[in-house]
Amino acid sequence: MREQTYHIYLDSRQKTTLLHSLVELKNQLIQQGRYADCVDELIFKVANAPVKKLRIEYV
């Protein structure tokens, strides 16, 4: 069975907030002496995610 994938659409402000939160989490994990490799991968994915333009129609 295939792994389920999720997509999230963020504007620039939300993307910036997400990146700051992930960096804070990484710093906390490092201070606790825990591995932060998975958070590094998420930071890399979010920072290098392609931009997809969407048109939103309000009804």
Side-chain angles (χ1 to χ4, degrees):
M1 188 171 177
R2 281 183 57 177
E3 234 180 82
Q4 195 171 15
T5 58
Y6 297 95
H7 300 275
I8 183 168
Y9 298 100
L10 304 172
D11 62 13
S12 61
R13 182 180 293 175
Q14 292 170 332
K15 185 176 176 180
T16 303
T17 304
L18 178 61
L19 283 171
H20 285 295
S21 299
L22 288 171
V23 170
E24 278 186 37
L25 176 62
K26 178 184 170 186
N27 290 337
Q28 289 175 358
L29 289 174
I30 291 171
Q31 286 178 351
Q32 294 173 2
R34 297 170 63 189
Y35 289 109
D37 295 341
C38 57
V39 179
D40 284 335
E41 290 177 21
L42 281 175
I43 291 171
F44 184 77
K45 285 182 180 183
V46 170
N48 295 321
V51 175
K52 183 174 183 179
K53 296 192 179 210
L54 298 173
R55 189 171 81 188
I56 300 173
E57 293 182 18
Y58 294 101
V59 180

